[in-house]
Amino acid sequence: MCEKHDPLAAIIAAAMPQVAGPVGAARPTEQISKQQVIKPVINNIMSVLAKEPEAQASRRRRLWELGHACHCPLVGVGFPLGVLRKLVDKVTNGKVVADDYEVHVGAVTECSTRNRLSEALQKELERRYAPVLLRFRNAKTTDQVAELWRSAVANGDVAGAFWAGLTHPRCTAELEEQMCRDLHMVQHQAGACVRADITKFNATLEENKRLTHDLNKAQQRNTALMAEKAAEAEKHAAQLMQMRAQVVGKDSMVDSLKVELEQLRESIPGLESRAKLAERLGQMEERERAMRNQIAELKLELARAAEQPAAPAPVQEAARQVVEHVMKMPLRLSDRAVLCVGGRNGNVASYRELIEREGAQFAHHDGGLEDNANRLEASLAAADLVICQTGCISHSAYWRVKDYCKRNGKRCVFIDNPSISSLARGLEQAGAE
């Protein structure tokens, strides 16, 4: 590996003399020539160490003590190109103008001897792979070193394991050769994987380009949609502010009207009593109108009766039976509902006391003077006995009570005089029947 001569090796050799005595001792430049190349006395120290097993027992080998076949893969996998070029520039005190291959070949060539570059590479390998060296230090036999190496190959982490395995005191020539073979195949597989990864990477780039294009379009649509929604939101906000202003204006108007209404009510004394009087006047007018209609009907009936002969006895008997049916009262008032329609308002309390004394439940309706006339029929339906004060009731209420009791068979007592004594006599008469 890397047997091709590279001019960078000569440049590095000229900048870094071989270490013969103390490390880093420089030799005069004029004594170095192209013909005088100091070659290492021992190209492969493994042959000497094989003869001296005691010296190999605990001492790890250095970079320049390894076989030349190990230097190329070790430099290739152990140093990233940037790190390797940085070390070469540091050793040569300047920037080396060479491509990556020339830097690699020159570094591999210099690893055969101990010099400033090989010492710098040795130091960097020790620092970079210190954790792996600690793990390999626990191996006491060649088989254990080989097992650690195989485990590293299986896990795909071979750089540090390759350096720790080659420099281990128990690494034999056979194991060194096997490690170089394994690393060679790993590099082939890595190259194939890299080519496959490059293909996938290119496909990923195309996919990323397409997705980026789609994303840009989606972002443009999103931007346009957001602008449209923002415009709608501003429009709705303006409408909301306008509606709020209208509501505030209406509330202010309502408040002012309420204040004005209160002022008007305060300015008119007795407004509530006047309203009640106006309502009472309307009821009285309606009652008067009903009574006039009743008088007209009675006059008409009287005129017809005067012109016609007297009704036969059967008809009068039927009329008397209907009246008796309407006038008939229940024999017992206990637990009965008694409705009193009409009467004087001042006598209502006395009516109640008299009815409840008999054990009945008392209810009152004034016939539509102040109470709602539409509730009269509901009161009639809830009563078991109806007492109609004919002297203090409107004509329409009288006919409604009479018609309802006739249609529904409701018992009713008609009293002409609204006095309490007349009501008591009617109850006594009902109890005596």
Side-chain angles (χ1 to χ4, degrees):
M1 299 180 182
C2 299
E3 297 296 338
K4 179 180 177 181
H5 173 72
D6 185 69
L8 181 61
I11 296 174
I12 297 175
M16 301 178 303
Q18 302 294 329
V19 178
V23 178
R27 296 168 59 186
T29 307
E30 62 271 7
Q31 295 180 3
I32 300 176
S33 63
K34 296 181 180 180
Q35 291 80 12
Q36 296 176 349
V37 178
I38 300 177
K39 297 183 179 180
V41 180
I42 303 175
N43 290 329
N44 191 351
I45 199 169
M46 288 296 295
S47 60
V48 177
L49 294 178
K51 298 177 183 180
E52 299 179 2
E54 295 180 358
Q56 189 186 5
S58 60
R59 178 181 174 279
R60 293 178 55 247
R61 291 186 293 172
R62 307 296 185 265
L63 177 62
W64 50 85
E65 294 174 353
L66 299 177
H68 184 64
C70 301
H71 292 152
C72 180
L74 182 59
V75 173
V77 300
F79 297 97
L81 289 175
V83 175
L84 182 61
R85 182 177 289 275
K86 183 177 181 180
L87 289 173
V88 173
D89 291 342
K90 182 178 180 181
V91 170
T92 57
N93 296 323
K95 187 174 182 180
V96 177
V97 182
D99 57 17
D100 294 337
Y101 178 77
E102 292 173 348
V103 172
H104 173 78
V105 172
V108 170
T109 303
E110 294 303 314
C111 288
S112 300
T113 60
R114 183 176 182 180
N115 50 61
R116 292 177 61 190
L117 180 59
S118 61
E119 287 182 349
L121 296 177
Q122 167 80 22
K123 183 177 179 181
E124 178 64 20
L125 288 171
E126 291 291 312
R127 184 195 65 80
R128 182 177 291 270
Y129 302 112
V132 185
L133 293 173
L134 290 176
R135 188 169 68 249
F136 271 75
R137 182 179 298 176
N138 297 326
K140 304 302 181 182
T141 62
T142 303
D143 293 339
Q144 292 178 354
V145 176
E147 181 62 27
L148 290 174
W149 166 250
R150 286 192 292 270
S151 177
V153 172
N155 295 330
D157 186 14
V158 296
F162 189 65
W163 167 247
L166 289 178
T167 59
H168 198 276
R170 300 305 179 191
C171 182
T172 61
E174 291 79 6
L175 180 57
E176 177 181 324
E177 183 179 0
Q178 184 63 40
M179 291 174 65
C180 291
R181 290 180 178 181
D182 293 343
L183 184 61
H184 184 77
M185 297 308 299
V186 168
Q187 289 177 331
H188 279 299
Q189 294 175 2
C193 293
V194 167
R195 288 191 296 273
D197 291 342
I198 290 175
T199 303
K200 293 180 180 180
F201 179 72
N202 292 331
T204 303
L205 287 179
E206 292 296 329
E207 181 69 13
N208 183 58
K209 184 178 179 181
R210 184 182 64 81
L211 292 176
T212 302
H213 181 68
D214 295 342
L215 178 61
N216 292 333
K217 288 186 176 180
Q219 289 178 346
Q220 292 176 0
R221 292 194 298 268
N222 186 39
T223 302
L225 184 60
M226 290 180 63
E228 182 180 355
K229 294 298 182 182
E232 291 182 358
E234 292 179 357
K235 180 179 178 181
H236 292 162
Q239 293 178 353
L240 179 61
M241 293 297 295
Q242 183 178 2
M243 296 298 294
R244 287 179 177 176
Q246 293 178 359
V247 170
V248 171
K250 290 182 179 180
D251 291 341
S252 301
M253 184 180 296
V254 169
D255 293 338
S256 63
L257 291 176
K258 287 182 178 179
V259 172
E260 184 178 356
L261 179 61
E262 292 296 331
Q263 292 177 355
L264 290 176
R265 286 178 177 176
E266 293 177 356
S267 63
I268 302 175
L271 180 61
E272 295 182 0
S273 60
R274 291 185 180 184
K276 291 182 179 180
L277 290 175
E279 183 179 0
R280 186 71 176 270
L281 179 60
Q283 293 176 355
M284 294 298 292
E285 290 178 352
E286 181 181 359
R287 181 180 178 183
E288 181 183 0
R289 187 166 46 254
M291 292 183 69
R292 288 178 180 177
N293 294 334
Q294 183 181 4
I295 292 172
E297 291 177 359
L298 291 176
K299 288 181 178 180
L300 182 60
E301 291 179 359
L302 181 61
R304 291 178 181 175
E307 294 177 357
Q308 295 179 0
V315 177
Q316 293 179 356
E317 182 65 21
R320 184 182 64 80
Q321 292 178 356
V322 170
V323 173
E324 289 180 354
H325 173 74
V326 175
M327 294 289 294
K328 190 175 181 180
M329 294 177 56
L331 298 178
R332 292 188 307 166
L333 298 178
S334 178
D335 297 329
R336 299 284 183 169
V338 178
L339 173 65
C340 182
V341 181
R344 296 190 182 96
N345 293 333
N347 296 337
V348 173
S350 300
Y351 297 161
R352 180 184 300 276
E353 181 180 0
L354 182 62
I355 297 298
E356 291 180 353
R357 188 186 307 163
E358 299 294 332
Q361 298 177 359
F362 177 77
H364 180 261
H365 193 283
D366 63 1
L369 297 179
E370 293 184 1
D371 296 337
N372 192 347
N374 295 327
R375 296 180 56 186
L376 178 59
E377 189 168 349
S379 301
L380 292 171
D384 296 319
L385 173 64
V386 179
I387 299 176
C388 183
Q389 301 279 0
T390 58
C392 298
I393 191 174
S394 65
H395 180 72
S396 59
Y398 169 80
W399 286 107
R400 288 179 66 178
V401 170
K402 185 176 181 180
D403 180 68
Y404 181 87
C405 293
K406 181 179 179 180
R407 286 187 292 103
N408 295 277
K410 187 77 66 174
R411 295 188 178 184
C412 182
V413 176
F414 293 93
I415 300 176
D416 296 334
N417 191 351
S419 63
I420 300 175
S421 59
S422 298
L423 178 61
R425 285 194 300 270
L427 293 176
E428 291 177 358
Q429 183 179 358
E433 291 181 353

